[in-house]
């Protein structure tokens, strides 16, 4: 039992030591970085009309118009 435990620990130790050094990663590489290009402005697809998904400003005029639209028409 002690021999298999010792051999197992030796195998694990050799795996961890060999896996620490990765030859594919070079830390001395010169990496050229440049800034990303600016994000272009979104295209106006509304044709100048206000967007219906954006909530309107809460004020007395808009509130009155909204209340009038919610009232049943007779």
């Amino acid at each position: 039992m002690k021999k298999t435990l010792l051999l197992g620990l030796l195998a694990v130790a050799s795996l961890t030591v060999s896996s620490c050094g990765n030859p594919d990663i070079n830390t001395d590489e010169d990496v050229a970085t440049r800034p990303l290009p600016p994000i272009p402005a979104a295209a106006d697809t509304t044709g100048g009309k206000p967007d219906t998904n954006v909530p309107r400003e809460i004020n007395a005029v808009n509130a009155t118009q909204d209340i009038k639209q919610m009232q049943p028409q007779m």
Side-chain angles (χ1 to χ4, degrees):
M1 169 108 179
K2 289 183 181 180
K3 288 184 180 180
T4 56
L5 180 63
L6 183 62
L7 287 175
L9 289 175
L10 182 62
V12 169
S14 66
L15 285 175
T16 56
V17 169
S18 64
S19 66
C20 288
N22 189 354
D24 295 335
I25 298 175
N26 296 330
T27 57
D28 60 346
E29 289 181 354
D30 292 330
V31 178
T33 58
R34 60 179 187 200
L36 294 173
I39 297 174
D44 182 19
T45 59
T46 61
K49 298 177 184 174
D51 190 6
T52 57
N53 294 330
V54 177
R56 296 192 307 169
E57 179 184 3
I58 300 174
N59 58 27
V61 176
N62 289 339
T64 305
Q65 290 174 355
D66 290 342
I67 291 170
K68 285 181 181 178
Q69 288 177 356
M70 287 188 268
Q71 296 295 324
Q73 300 296 324
M74 292 190 181

